[in-house]
């Protein structure tokens, strides 16, 4: 802890390639040494966060067998973790305003790896759920603060590009966590699978602390709980921000729901895929590595509103295509769905910082809270639709939710660039 605190407080201005603006802020420029260090560090943070969070997704069918659970009950190990993370964001974002960005993110990463390793030692379903709740709450420190750190340190002109790269790192982490755990669960117990993931993420957490430069534009603010609550509520008074919060809820909820239950479908006839083959499907996430920064580069040409709407339409198209009983066609559908999701999320999340004139940190926290609550709420609701209508039921549910998202985006009058 002493090392982390000391590292946060140290400011090495000579290492930065900076540009001052009219507000006397010095920003990191694209292509500089410090830009590379920041992106690399946040890659490790995203890798660790999303590996820990989503490595249990391929294990859900194993939990169903091991603990005699329904798909809905098994999905709680993921849904409750994202719910506790969402709630934690409302606190950790404000804590970072007082203690600093890097120290909160660092503590968050180490606590989450500790609880993940503890989870591997549990023997009952209730114990697993408790560990996952603690893990999700711990991870909130990274998810709530990373984008705020970028918005403070990176030149605003390249901020959408930087956020796109950060989301790409998250994408790789999510893919790696799902894919590796699907291989491990095929050869080892679920306990050993989670233990190995926890140890790998511990290494990534150490690399994060070493790589991330200390903040240069951060200014500590006092902790006033009543004011913090008031500021969080006031974010909903901005019509555009409130729409973006709901869009985040819809996007992440739809994405997690699809990948929560596609594994169940592909284990049934006519596919009968094993865990490794299902885990390989996670490779479609890697298309987000391209679409996230690419979507950001199209803002000037098409505008944020249009890109989000088109991206959601691509998600719906992907869902429709997955109704096929041909595996190759299903994969094409998942690629389209994932590409649309990452493009829409990249634009929506960077739009928050552009729109929020004051209290940007709180606005980001509310967006991400809504984003991960969507994962919990819609991901769990998807279990009911699976029970009644299998994949068709899940697809209709998600398509309906995404159409609501398009309708809400269409209410935004101006196409802000």
């Amino acid at each position: 802890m002493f090392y982390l605190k000391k590292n946060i407080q140290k400011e090495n201005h000579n290492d930065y390639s900076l540009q001052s603006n009219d507000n006397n802020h010095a920003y990191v420029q694209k292509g500089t040494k410090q830009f590379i260090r920041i992106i690399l560090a946040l890659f490790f943070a995203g890798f660790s966060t999303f590996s820990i969070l989503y490595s249990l997704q391929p294990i859900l069918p194993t939990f169903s067998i091991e603990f005699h659970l329904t798909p809905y009950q098994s999905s709680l190990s993921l849904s409750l973790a994202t719910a506790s993370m969402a709630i934690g964001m409302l606190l950790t974002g404000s804590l970072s305003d007082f203690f600093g960005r890097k120290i909160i993110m660092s503590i968050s990463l180490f606590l989450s790896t500790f609880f993940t390793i503890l989870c591997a030692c549990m023997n009952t379903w209730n114990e697993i759920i408790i560990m996952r709740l603690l893990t999700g709450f711990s991870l909130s420190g990274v998810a709530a603060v990373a984008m705020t750190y970028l918005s403070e340190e990176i030149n605003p002109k390249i901020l959408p590009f930087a956020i796109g790269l950060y989301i790409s790192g998250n994408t790789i982490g999510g893919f790696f966590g799902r894919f590796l755990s699907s291989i491990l669960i095929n050869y080892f117990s679920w306990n050993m699978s989670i233990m190995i993931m926890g140890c790998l993420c511990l290494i990534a957490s150490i690399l994060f602390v070493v790589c991330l430069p200390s903040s240069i534009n951060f200014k500590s603010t006092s902790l006033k709980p009543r004011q913090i609550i008031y500021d969080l509520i006031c974010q909903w008074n901005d019509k555009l921000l409130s729409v973006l919060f709901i869009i985040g809820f819809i996007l992440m909820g739809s994405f997690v729901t699809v990948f929560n239950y596609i594994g169940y479908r592909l284990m049934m006839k006519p596919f009968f895929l094993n865990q490794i083959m299902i885990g390989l499907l996670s490779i479609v996430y890697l298309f987000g590595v391209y679409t996230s920064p690419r979507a950001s580069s199209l803002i000037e040409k098409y505008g944020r509103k249009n890109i989000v709407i088109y991206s959601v339409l691509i998600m719906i198209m992907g869902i429709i295509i997955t109704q096929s009983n041909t595996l190759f066609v299903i994969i094409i559908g998942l690629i389209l769905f994932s590409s649309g999701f990452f493009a829409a999320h990249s634009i929506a999340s960077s739009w928050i910082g552009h729109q929020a004139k004051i209290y940007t940190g709180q606005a980001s926290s509310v967006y991400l809270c809504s984003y991960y609550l969507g994962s919990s709420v819609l991901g769990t609701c998807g279990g009911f639709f699976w029970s009644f209508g299998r994949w068709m039921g899940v697809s209709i549910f998600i398509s309906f939710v995404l159409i609501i998202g398009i309708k809400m985006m269409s209410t935004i009058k101006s196409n802000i660039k």
Side-chain angles (χ1 to χ4, degrees):
M1 179 67 71
F2 174 78
Y3 169 75
L4 292 177
K5 184 73 174 179
K6 183 178 179 181
N7 195 31
I8 301 307
Q9 293 174 341
K10 185 173 65 175
E11 295 183 354
N12 187 354
H13 295 265
N14 295 328
D15 284 342
Y16 278 80
S17 295
L18 304 168
Q19 175 178 304
S20 298
N21 67 358
D22 295 336
N23 296 322
N24 297 320
H25 287 175
Y27 293 117
V28 177
Q29 303 302 305
K30 181 180 178 181
T32 63
K33 177 182 176 181
Q34 291 306 103
F35 181 84
I36 294 172
R37 284 183 60 191
I38 289 172
I39 295 302
L40 187 60
L42 290 182
F43 168 83
F44 289 127
F47 172 87
S48 182
T49 299
F50 291 92
S51 290
I52 287 174
L53 192 61
Y54 293 114
S55 59
L56 264 65
Q57 203 165 44
I59 304 178
L60 296 183
T62 302
F63 282 153
S64 293
I65 297 171
E66 183 82 14
F67 298 102
H68 308 290
L69 306 171
T70 65
Y72 156 73
Q73 291 171 321
S74 181
S75 70
L76 290 176
S77 60
L78 182 59
S79 298
L80 291 179
T82 54
S84 64
M85 182 168 72
I87 295 170
M89 286 177 185
L90 300 178
L91 173 63
T92 52
S94 298
L95 288 176
S96 75
D97 289 337
F98 180 74
F99 291 105
R101 313 303 182 197
K102 184 175 179 179
I103 192 168
I104 293 298
M105 287 191 284
S106 301
I107 293 173
S108 174
L109 286 173
F110 284 111
L111 277 178
S112 63
T113 56
F114 171 73
F115 288 126
T116 298
I117 292 172
L118 272 185
C119 183
C121 301
M122 300 297 103
N123 295 313
T124 69
W125 182 242
N126 288 337
E127 291 173 343
I128 292 171
I129 290 298
I130 291 172
M131 287 299 105
R132 289 294 290 173
L133 282 168
L134 293 172
T135 300
F137 190 83
S138 300
L139 287 172
S140 65
V142 179
V145 178
M147 288 187 183
T148 303
Y149 176 94
L150 285 173
S151 66
E152 289 176 344
E153 305 302 321
I154 299 294
N155 188 322
K157 293 182 179 179
I158 60 170
L159 181 60
F161 175 75
I163 290 179
L165 291 178
Y166 167 64
I167 292 174
S168 296
N170 296 347
T171 305
I172 294 173
F175 158 72
F176 184 84
R178 290 171 172 95
F179 178 59
L180 182 58
S181 65
S182 68
I183 295 176
L184 293 173
I185 196 63
N186 204 56
Y187 295 101
F188 304 101
S189 66
W190 66 266
N191 308 74
M192 182 59 67
S193 300
I194 295 175
M195 177 67 72
I196 293 173
M197 293 304 304
C199 292
L200 288 175
C201 292
L202 177 61
I203 296 172
S205 301
I206 294 171
L207 292 173
F208 164 82
V209 174
V210 172
C211 291
L212 188 69
S214 300
S215 300
I216 194 171
N217 293 323
F218 169 74
K219 294 181 180 180
S220 179
T221 58
S222 60
L223 286 174
K224 298 178 180 179
R226 183 175 297 180
Q227 184 65 39
I228 290 170
I229 295 172
Y230 175 78
D231 294 339
L232 290 172
I233 294 174
C234 284
Q235 299 296 338
W236 289 90
N237 293 331
D238 186 304
K239 182 180 179 181
L240 176 54
L241 285 179
S242 63
V243 169
L244 291 174
F245 297 154
I246 297 173
I247 288 296
F249 179 95
I250 289 171
L251 288 175
M252 189 56 167
S254 302
F255 183 74
V256 168
T257 301
V258 165
F259 285 95
N260 270 2
Y261 301 102
I262 191 67
Y264 285 98
R265 183 194 182 195
L266 296 177
M267 291 177 68
M268 301 166 60
K269 65 177 183 180
F271 308 104
F272 298 109
L273 298 187
N274 60 30
Q275 289 285 8
I276 293 179
M277 294 301 296
I278 292 173
L280 277 172
L281 290 179
S282 300
I283 202 169
V284 302
Y285 298 172
L286 298 183
F287 283 87
V289 174
Y290 170 78
T291 58
S292 292
R294 177 59 180 166
S296 299
S297 69
L298 297 175
I299 289 175
E300 289 297 326
K301 185 175 182 180
Y302 297 105
R304 287 179 163 88
K305 173 183 173 180
N306 287 335
I307 295 176
V308 172
I309 291 176
Y310 296 154
S311 298
V312 175
L313 284 171
I314 290 173
M315 293 174 70
I316 295 174
M317 185 186 304
I319 282 288
I320 293 172
I321 291 174
T322 61
Q323 303 313 305
S324 171
N325 283 328
T326 303
L327 182 59
F328 177 77
V329 176
I330 291 175
I331 292 173
I332 296 299
L334 292 176
I335 288 173
L336 288 174
F337 180 83
S338 299
S339 298
F341 163 75
F342 285 110
H345 172 46
S346 177
I347 298 302
S349 57
S350 64
W351 201 346
I352 293 293
H354 179 88
Q355 177 67 16
K357 305 303 181 184
I358 58 174
Y359 309 123
T360 305
Q362 286 92 336
S364 296
S365 294
V366 175
Y367 172 80
L368 290 169
C369 178
S370 301
Y371 181 76
Y372 289 107
L373 277 179
S375 170
S376 301
V377 175
L378 299 187
T380 302
C381 289
F384 292 105
F385 286 89
W386 171 266
S387 299
F388 291 107
R390 292 295 187 263
W391 185 247
M392 179 61 74
V394 172
S395 299
I396 292 173
F397 169 59
I398 292 304
S399 297
F400 177 74
V401 170
L402 290 173
I403 290 171
I404 292 176
I406 292 175
K407 178 64 176 177
M408 295 196 67
M409 283 301 303
S410 66
T411 63
I412 299 174
K413 294 182 180 180
S414 61
N415 188 18
I416 302 173
K417 294 186 176 182

